[in-house]
Amino acid sequence: GTIKAECDALAVTVGQLLAPALGRNVRVDALTREPSPFATLFPAEIVRATLDDQTRVRLFLKHLGPEEATQPDKQRRDREPRVYESLLCEPGLPVPGFYGSRRNVATDRTELYLEYVDDWSLRYQDLKHWFTAARRLAHLLNQALAREGRAVVGATDLHALWLLGRLIEDLLDRYL
């Protein structure tokens, strides 16, 4: 039926997207999917794949679609995949690994395939974790800006959050 065909197509896609990251041809022997409890605006799933060598891989699959299409920052559905491809692709950055994206003609959505990070949403964490996140985001931002010969140094946690918002907007406008 349709569900098996969808899973077969997803298994092929997952295998193709994992191959460059694993440095070999990949065949997915088994696949399960479940809705992500952390999906916000766009539907998202946790995909569990068992590969031909019995390696188990989990992916976060986000389905970018027509939601809030009138919002200026939502009008470019390719923006998030391009951010991962262009700005967050360097090894060692504190971001989930990006496996790829594809247009799903059947659902009319762009699918974003990311490394699944097994943890709770930041909104459910103590305030101290927000400051850790701010420092890591400032580090990420410094690495991105260093590519342009700029850097933010000595930022406090709260200042880093403010700078992050301003500078990410600048980077997105410049590169996307």
Side-chain angles (χ1 to χ4, degrees):
T2 304
I3 293 174
K4 176 149 178 37
E6 286 176 8
C7 285
D8 289 346
L10 181 61
V12 170
T13 297
V14 168
Q16 291 170 342
L17 294 174
L18 287 175
L22 298 176
R24 65 178 181 86
N25 288 332
V26 173
R27 189 182 79 241
V28 175
D29 284 345
L31 191 72
T32 61
R33 37 195 320 192
E34 65 185 71
S36 171
F38 302 115
T40 53
L41 177 61
F42 299 110
E45 300 177 75
I46 301 166
V47 176
R48 290 176 172 81
T50 303
L51 309 183
D52 50 352
D53 66 354
Q54 299 309 302
T55 299
R56 295 175 195 267
V57 179
R58 290 186 297 172
L59 296 95
F60 184 78
L61 172 55
K62 188 172 183 180
H63 303 275
L64 306 173
E67 293 83 357
E68 294 188 0
T70 59
Q71 296 295 321
D73 63 330
K74 303 292 187 232
Q75 291 177 355
R76 293 279 313 265
R77 293 302 182 207
D78 66 335
R79 189 174 197 169
E80 189 171 355
R82 290 184 64 207
V83 166
Y84 276 97
E85 291 168 357
S86 303
L87 300 175
L88 302 178
C89 57
E90 294 179 25
L93 292 179
V95 296
F98 172 68
Y99 295 116
S101 65
R102 74 169 183 140
R103 185 78 183 150
N104 185 326
V105 177
T107 63
D108 196 31
R109 291 182 176 274
T110 297
E111 297 174 341
L112 182 64
Y113 294 82
L114 302 170
E115 169 189 16
Y116 179 78
V117 177
D118 192 18
D119 209 345
W120 285 96
S121 171
L122 187 59
R123 76 178 80 154
Y124 301 118
Q125 302 298 321
D126 292 331
L127 186 59
K128 68 181 180 180
H129 296 292
W130 284 77
F131 290 114
T132 300
R135 281 190 297 277
R136 290 194 177 158
L137 288 171
H139 172 72
L140 172 64
L141 182 59
N142 271 328
Q143 287 185 294
L145 290 173
R147 294 170 66 182
E148 305 183 341
R150 300 189 305 162
V152 177
V153 292
T156 65
D157 295 331
L158 294 175
H159 187 234
L161 284 173
W162 178 82
L163 285 173
L164 178 69
R166 301 289 72 75
L167 293 171
I168 285 178
E169 287 175 8
D170 178 52
L171 286 170
L172 291 175
D173 289 341
R174 183 174 308 182
Y175 290 107
L176 303 177

